[in-house]
Amino acid sequence: MRTITKVGYVKLVTDGLFLTGCFFLSMQLSGRGILESDIIILIVLLSGWYFSTKISNLYDEFRTETFVGELLLILQNVVIQVFIAGQLFFLLNQSNFARTFVLYYASSILIALIVKNYVTKKALLHYRQGGGNTRYVMFVGYNKITDDLISRIENNPHYGMKVLGVISNEENSSDFSYLKELEKFHNNNDNVTIDDIIVTSDLLNKDMLQGLYKCCESKGVRLKFVPNYSNYYLNRVQFQLFGNYPLITLRSEPLQQAHWLFLKRAFDIAFSSLVFLLIFSWLFPIIAILIKLNSKGPVFFKQDRWGENGKKFKCYKFRSMVVDSQDVKKSGAFNQATQNDPRITKIGAFLRKTSLDEFPQFINVLKGEMSVVGPRPHAHEHNLRTKDLIDKYMIRHWVKPGITGWAQVNGYRGETKTNEAMQKRIDFDIHYIETWTFWSDLKIILMTVYNMAKGEENAY
């Protein structure tokens, strides 16, 4: 969660005024009318908007955010407004007006903010193309990062930025040639307006950096740095303060933030409770009877698997194999389920094909050992064999394992016959961890339901 800029606060205030107008308009259109107590409802809604937009960074990166990007962020925050409004009407025992009000409120907010943002973007673009509100930028160092940033600025005039040149001793193919040597910049007294200097070079020594810093301070120029991690994914680098020191993490982890952990856990409990109430309550007895009729042994199969931070837990499944099945081969390797595996019972084959054998894992979710969505947990023996063979394997244990996951809905479920196939699964798991959003969880759940309905080739 980052600090809102000054321009961001202007947008926040104006959006708040639009929300207020839409609120009172919707009250009138819903037939309820306006009451004195409505000021409390409005304050709660505006407070909810402030905190949800701060978390989603709606008012951050004003210059570099696209119209479509802002539109998606607005949509997310409107959904939260709808949820808050619905709960407020329920608590106030005014649910008879809730549907009509929410319909008018959500529609009017979306229309008002979309039109306002579109007009604002167009007006600023026209103004900046005429030279207004422009920030003049210079780069120190020439490399791929410099090229990428210059291209981004040139291809997005709504940023309101203009590149003056590149300060670099290195040969470059750029059209910019303003003062090749850093020393010449220090001694240059030309009347050139420079707002920002962005350092992309990793070749500057301590003395050069100190000299550049003093020069920028004396000229009133803002000095900024882009860390050059050419061997890493720049969009995954995360910055935070550790005391007074900047701390750089090379992998982003959204689920390390308390508010997202709380949201994910609340969703896990709510979703699992609904599954138990609406599906498991009547489906469990049927599956239990079929398992008992088909073969001797318990209804549930419990297996040691690795959870968050590698902690072992008992994972529940409906038993789909005969009782004396062995998880470990004589060679010591983990005995994965294979196609036409003789250990699988007839009812077990059906349960595996439809993924119904995984349903008891909602018990693990309610116990806090698993999540609805996350990297699939592997058996203890499987982890011991694989962790030293597959690159970045242990990273998948940074979060709770899931009943379904990003790798599974992309075809990497069930048996992994080669190390290459396992590496693909791990790559998908890591991508999920680094790019997690609440909406991605909903997408994975919908994809899982669709795959269950059509059947999956690797489900055996």
Side-chain angles (χ1 to χ4, degrees), residues 366-377:
L366 290 176
K367 291 173 67 177
E369 297 164 335
M370 291 180 64
S371 180
V372 175
V373 180
R376 284 291 299 152

Side-chain angles (χ1 to χ4, degrees), residues 9-24:
Y9 271 113
V10 173
K11 290 189 67 182
L12 174 62
V13 171
T14 53
D15 285 356
L17 294 175
F18 273 96
L19 259 67
T20 302
C22 293
F23 173 81
F24 288 115

Side-chain angles (χ1 to χ4, degrees), residues 12 15-16 18-23 26 41-53 58-59 73-89 98 101-110 113 439:
L12 174 62
D15 285 356
F18 273 96
L19 259 67
T20 302
C22 293
F23 173 81
S26 302
I41 299 176
L42 177 61
I43 290 173
V44 173
L45 287 172
L46 290 176
S47 299
W49 181 264
Y50 172 78
F51 286 109
S52 68
T53 55
L58 176 61
Y59 301 117
L73 289 174
I74 288 171
L75 184 60
Q76 292 179 23
N77 288 284
V78 169
V79 170
I80 295 173
Q81 285 284 293
V82 168
F83 175 78
I84 294 173
Q87 294 302 309
L88 285 172
F89 276 105
F101 169 79
V102 165
L103 177 63
Y104 284 123
Y105 185 58
S107 302
S108 59
I109 290 175
L110 275 175
L113 295 188
W439 311 103

